[in-house]
Amino acid sequence: MNLMKHVSFLISTLLLVSTPFLTNGFAQDYVHYKTLTGHTTIGGALSVSFSPDGLTLASGGADYTILLWDITKGIPKKTLTGHSEAVFSVAFSSDQRILASASGDRTVRLWDVGTGAHLKTLVGHNGFVRSVAFSPDGRTLVSGSDDKTVRLWDAGTSAHLKTLIGHTGVVYSVSFSPDGRTVASGSWDKTVRLWNISTGTHLKMLTGHTDLIYSVSFSPVGRFLASGSGDKTIYLKNIVMDTQLKTLSGHTDIVWSVAFSPDGETLASGGMDHTVRLWKLTSSHKAKPNLTTLENPTADQIYEKAIRSVMWIVNPGIGEGSGVLIDKKHKLAITNAHVTGKQNTIDVYFPAPDEKGELIKDRIFYLKSSDVLKRLGYYTKGHIIAKNEKTDLAIIRLDGLPETAREIDWKLTPLTTKAGELVYILGNPARQELWRWTLGEFLKDHGDFLHIQSDVFGGNSGGPVLNKQGILLGIVARSDQLMNAAAIPSRHISRLLSESKGKHTRMRK
């Protein structure tokens, strides 16, 4: 396949896989409706990326330029110049104000989308830079290069943060997980590697492909990872359970690109065989069943059922954490002792809805709106009435509660959870949106703590760990760099309640 045909196919692929999917899970029909011409040399556009609002398309060219296209008019509105070699990758920040470009001139450049001005040049790679991506919060950039390394950059200062070393071949594709904590890199050494961006630690190496890897993509909730290869297959892996889910076969040539639909139910793949294939990963959407009779609710249903029991705790001088309402009648909540520190009173926020009923997750909004939130009950003070440093637990009595607050579903009787079962962790990870959830794998009950494999970190402390029925198993206490997390089991919570003179003990059969 010559270069011009490859470029034409690349643009067609992106236009196909970027079109929204219908809510019933089936893709719309696609028709060619516009041809964009503007790059001047043979080879044309080597990379394309839509802005988050879908109104602007960026294309990186073999002619060393980047064009910003007005999608509605089909014309280029800006030409960005400065690279001295072909532009292999372009990516918009989540706020669509900044564009990053990766080039054969061994640099990554940052551009102001509004003015087209060149902002900064990131230098350090010793080979073609093949791929670049922004973290979901726009603060960090990741790049992959022919020099076999992955580099992390501060998008604001352009400072080089870390170099991730381990691949033995060209790093052709990089991708951030939806929570921004993990990077996946696909290489010509036929492996995919997962990295913890906070520490630069290599987490896992995923193998199986028998040829070069050209594309990697996380599913919207970060549980699955898809990779496309020169062996004509797509691998779909569960990275939480570290298992191979499926090998998708059907393409008759290189699989250049893979992308998930926003709902995570459909995977699109583009290959050198001139086809785009859509793969259905789950059944079509169904009406939500009654949660009170549901034995195995979905992740979204568990989240919806439990999130209004989860608190965001702000403790000046100590940090931030999470907590969970365990007794609505007596306004009692549980968190870690290390979240409360030495203070007797802490600030507590409950998730507040916007005018559409959607939960507000912007931490700045809560900090700036405490007076209004206090009147509505979403902000209150919490007073520590019992604490056990050994088990790292503290019971909090709250001054107030919003009407929407729900106590967590938990039982004093022992729960049976087997090794390998999925668990759901809710909380408020630091420097990210509030009231997030992540998946984990239950490994073992060690008595004093529950061993869970999951990527949790600061801010999740005190957040609930729920089983597949949405019942509380314990609360997060700590984690390490290898995705090992410890949770304090719910039986210790009930013991601490009993030790506090039984005054507010809640018994449930």
Side-chain angles (χ1 to χ4, degrees):
M1 186 178 192
N2 65 37
L3 187 57
M4 181 59 80
K5 287 183 178 178
H6 167 62
V7 172
S8 175
F9 173 71
L10 179 64
I11 294 179
S12 299
T13 298
L14 184 72
L15 290 172
L16 281 167
V17 301
S18 299
T19 304
F21 290 85
L22 293 175
T23 55
N24 65 7
F26 293 101
Q28 299 183 38
D29 292 330
Y30 297 94
V31 294
H32 174 259
Y33 72 98
K34 202 168 273 142
T35 298
L36 310 181
T37 58
H39 287 289
T40 58
T41 63
I42 294 176
L46 298 177
S47 56
V48 282
S49 177
F50 275 107
S51 62
D53 63 9
L55 299 179
T56 303
L57 181 75
S59 59
D63 59 4
Y64 313 166
T65 70
I66 300 158
L67 296 180
L68 297 179
W69 303 84
D70 184 316
I71 291 299
T72 57
K73 298 179 181 178
I75 58 173
K77 52 185 180 180
K78 289 184 178 66
T79 300
L80 314 182
T81 60
H83 281 297
S84 58
E85 290 287 347
V87 179
F88 290 108
S89 180
V90 287
F92 283 92
S93 61
S94 57
D95 63 6
Q96 61 195 22
R97 295 171 57 190
I98 307 297
L99 183 79
S101 57
S103 170
D105 63 13
R106 304 184 178 188
T107 70
V108 173
R109 288 185 173 236
L110 301 181
W111 312 83
D112 185 300
V113 174
T115 66
H118 169 238
L119 300 175
K120 291 170 184 173
T121 301
L122 283 54
V123 179
H125 279 297
N126 294 315
F128 287 6
V129 187
R130 298 284 185 173
S131 184
V132 66
F134 276 97
S135 61
D137 63 8
R139 296 179 180 179
T140 308
L141 274 169
V142 62
S143 56
S145 169
D146 282 14
D147 64 12
K148 307 175 186 177
T149 70
V150 176
R151 285 186 171 238
L152 296 173
W153 313 82
D154 186 304
T157 66
S158 76
H160 170 236
L161 301 175
K162 295 180 180 70
T163 300
L164 312 181
I165 299 174
H167 281 297
T168 58
V170 170
V171 180
Y172 205 82
S173 180
V174 289
S175 177
F176 266 100
S177 63
D179 62 11
R181 289 181 274 178
T182 306
V183 160
S185 54
S187 169
W188 285 6
D189 64 11
K190 307 175 186 177
T191 71
V192 174
R193 290 178 181 255
L194 301 180
W195 313 84
N196 182 310
I197 70 158
S198 296
T199 63
T201 306
H202 175 241
L203 300 174
K204 292 179 183 177
M205 181 172 68
L206 310 179
T207 60
H209 282 297
T210 59
D211 206 330
L212 314 182
I213 294 175
Y214 290 93
S215 183
V216 290
S217 178
F218 279 97
S219 64
V221 296
R223 181 181 177 188
F224 303 128
L225 186 79
S227 55
S229 169
D231 62 14
K232 309 173 188 177
T233 69
I234 301 150
Y235 274 24
L236 188 64
K237 296 205 174 189
N238 183 325
I239 59 174
V240 175
M241 304 288 284
D242 196 18
T243 56
Q244 174 80 17
L245 279 183
K246 296 177 182 177
T247 300
L248 307 179
S249 302
H251 283 291
T252 58
D253 213 323
I254 293 173
V255 180
W256 281 108
S257 58
V258 288
F260 284 91
S261 62
D263 62 10
E265 294 190 358
T266 305
L267 180 73
S269 59
M272 196 179 271
D273 58 9
H274 296 204
T275 69
V276 173
R277 289 176 178 254
L278 301 178
W279 312 84
K280 193 69 177 171
L281 303 181
T282 64
S283 59
S284 298
H285 292 285
K286 298 178 181 179
K288 289 186 178 180
N290 188 333
L291 288 175
T292 60
T293 61
L294 193 64
E295 290 188 8
N296 293 295
T298 66
D300 286 343
Q301 292 162 348
I302 289 174
Y303 178 89
E304 180 63 26
K305 184 179 180 182
I307 194 59
R308 287 178 175 82
S309 67
V310 180
M311 309 175 304
W312 178 39
I313 295 174
V314 179
N315 198 348
I318 298 296
E320 302 174 11
S322 304
V324 61
L325 183 65
I326 57 174
D327 188 332
K328 187 172 182 178
K329 179 180 179 181
H330 296 101
K331 301 179 182 177
L332 299 181
I334 194 79
T335 188
N336 293 132
H338 76 260
V339 171
T340 64
K342 301 300 181 182
Q343 281 84 340
N344 294 319
T345 303
I346 54 179
D347 294 328
V348 176
Y349 295 84
F350 279 88
D354 62 17
E355 65 277 5
K356 296 180 181 178
E358 300 291 331
L359 295 187
I360 300 170
K361 299 182 179 182
D362 180 4
R363 62 185 58 234
I364 301 301
F365 166 82
Y366 287 90
L367 294 176
K368 290 184 176 181
S369 309
S370 56
D371 289 341
V372 175
L373 293 172
K374 183 177 181 179
R375 291 197 296 271
L376 299 174
Y378 295 107
Y379 165 72
T380 188
K381 291 290 185 180
H383 309 278
I384 291 79
I385 62 171
K387 184 183 291 189
N388 188 319
E389 301 283 355
K390 183 178 180 181
T391 59
D392 195 15
L393 290 176
I395 297 174
I396 304 166
R397 185 180 66 245
L398 305 171
D399 285 345
L401 288 173
E403 293 183 1
T404 55
R406 305 172 185 168
E407 61 186 43
I408 198 74
D409 189 2
W410 70 295
K411 299 179 180 179
L412 297 180
T413 55
L415 295 172
T416 302
T417 302
K418 299 178 181 178
E421 288 187 6
L422 288 180
V423 295
Y424 305 89
I425 301 168
L426 282 66
N428 304 289
R431 299 181 301 278
Q432 297 187 45
E433 284 187 338
L434 301 175
W435 290 289
R436 300 283 295 273
W437 70 273
T438 187
L439 284 171
E441 178 187 356
F442 181 81
L443 298 179
K444 189 175 181 180
D445 186 341
H446 289 275
D448 288 337
F449 68 93
L450 308 177
H451 185 186
I452 297 164
Q453 185 178 60
S454 182
D455 192 11
V456 299
F457 67 116
N460 282 113
S461 292
V465 179
L466 310 175
N467 68 3
K468 60 185 180 182
Q469 283 81 38
I471 299 173
L472 183 72
L473 293 178
I475 63 170
V476 176
R478 58 187 182 276
S479 63
D480 62 21
Q481 299 174 1
L482 300 177
M483 297 181 69
N484 292 302
I488 309 304
S490 58
R491 57 179 174 270
H492 288 338
I493 299 174
S494 60
R495 185 178 299 125
L496 184 58
L497 280 171
S498 299
E499 290 172 355
S500 58
K501 300 179 181 180
K503 183 177 180 180
H504 298 301
T505 301
R506 168 174 171 247
M507 303 297 294
R508 178 185 291 178
K509 297 182 180 180

